[in-house]
Amino acid sequence: TQLLEQSPQFLSIQEGENLTVYCNSSSVFSSLQWYRQEPGEGPVLLVTVVTGGEVKKLKRLTFQFGDARKDSSLHITAAQPGDTGLYLCAGEGSSNTGKLIFGQGTTLQVKP
Amino acid sequence: SAVISQKPSRDICQRGTSLTIQCQVDSQVTMMFWYRQQPGQSLTLIATANQGSEATYESGFVIDKFPISRPNLTFSTLTVSNMSPEDSSIYLCSVGTWGDEQFFGPGTRLTVL
C-alpha cells in the first residue's frame, strides 16, 4: 500500500517567516500534486510535479520533487496571513488508475 | 479546468436515514471520484465512479453503504445510507483524466445527529 507521510501536521508562524512542508514516501509516484484547502471549500490544485528533481515556483511558493520521485517539499517564503489554510500533498500511484493518495495535510496559520 | 458543483452544500440528517449527494461537471470527463474528509483530517478515497458500470470501491467502503451512480460523463451521485454520527464528514467529488490533474468540487458537509 502506498502511503504519503506529510509533516508537520500543524504550523503556526508569524507573518514574514519562511516555512517548509514535507511529503515523504517509500514508494515511487508517477506524479505528485499539492493542494490548498480553505474552510468550506474543496481543495484547489497549486501545482503538479512529474519529473524527478523538478522544481516549480508559484510566486512565493517553491515546490520540489525528489530525484527518486518518492518525496516532495513545499517552501513558502515570507508567509502572509492569506497563506493560511490546509496544505495537502497527493500522489498518483504507479498503477495509472488516476486515483490519488493524500498525505495527512498540514494546517498552516500565519499570524499578522 | 472543469467547473464542478455539488448539491446539497450541507445537510443535517437524522440517524438511520439516507442522503444522496449530486456532483455535476460542466464538461465531459473521463474519471470521477468520491472522497470523504472527516473533521480536521485529510481526504480518503471512497470509490471511482465508472460511467455505465458499477463503481470501484476502496478498501473499507462497500456498495451497500455508499451506492454510487454515474449515468453519463458529466454527472454522478453518492448516497450515504443508513447514516450514523460516524458518517459526519465532508464528501467531495473530483474529476480528472489519466495523467492529468484532479479538480475538486466544493464539498458537501454532512452532520448526522
Side-chain angles (χ1 to χ4, degrees), chain A residues 34-92:
Chain A
W34 285 93
Y35 293 84
R36 178 166 167 261
Q37 184 179 23
E38 297 192 52
E41 300 181 8
V44 175
L45 181 67
L46 296 173
V47 78
T48 300
V49 286
V50 178
T51 306
E54 184 176 6
V55 177
K56 284 191 173 179
K57 291 193 174 183
L58 188 65
K59 296 183 181 178
R60 294 176 293 100
L61 277 60
T62 302
F63 305 86
Q64 186 163 7
F65 202 13
D67 291 341
R69 291 185 290 137
K70 293 182 179 181
D71 56 88
S72 181
S73 64
L74 157 61
H75 182 79
I76 301 179
T77 303
Q80 299 177 1
D83 295 327
T84 293
L86 175 65
Y87 289 82
L88 296 155
C89 65
E92 181 178 356

Side-chain angles (χ1 to χ4, degrees), chain B residues 8 10 14-17 43 49 56-57 59 86 88 98 100:
Chain B
R10 58 177 62 230
Q14 294 297 320
R15 182 195 300 261
T17 63
L43 281 71
T56 305
Y57 290 84
S59 176
E86 293 71 35
S88 297
W98 277 292
D100 287 348

Side-chain angles (χ1 to χ4, degrees), chain B:
Chain B
S1 64
V3 177
I4 306 159
S5 60
Q6 284 186 235
K7 289 182 182 179
S9 58
R10 58 177 62 230
D11 207 342
I12 300 173
C13 301
Q14 294 297 320
R15 182 195 300 261
T17 63
S18 298
L19 176 72
T20 296
I21 302 168
Q22 298 180 5
C23 179
Q24 179 73 55
V25 191
D26 68 341
S27 59
Q28 293 187 343
V29 291
T30 306
M31 309 189 79
M32 294 181 78
F33 304 92
W34 286 98
Y35 290 84
R36 181 174 72 185
Q37 185 175 28
Q38 294 179 304
Q41 296 190 25
S42 186
L43 281 71
T44 301
L45 181 64
I46 297 172
T48 303
N50 301 309
Q51 193 265 327
S53 64
E54 192 171 284
T56 305
Y57 290 84
E58 297 301 304
S59 176
F61 298 96
V62 295
I63 188 171
D64 289 346
K65 176 67 175 177
F66 297 102
I68 289 171
S69 78
R70 191 174 174 197
N72 56 54
L73 293 176
T74 65
F75 184 78
S76 178
T77 67
L78 167 74
T79 298
V80 186
S81 303
N82 188 24
M83 289 184 284
S84 67
E86 293 71 35
D87 294 321
S88 297
S89 287
I90 299 172
Y91 291 86
L92 299 131
C93 70
S94 73
V95 302
T97 56
W98 277 292
D100 287 348
E101 298 99 339
Q102 281 191 29
F103 298 95
F104 285 82
T108 295
R109 183 179 295 272
L110 171 62
T111 301
V112 184
L113 303 177

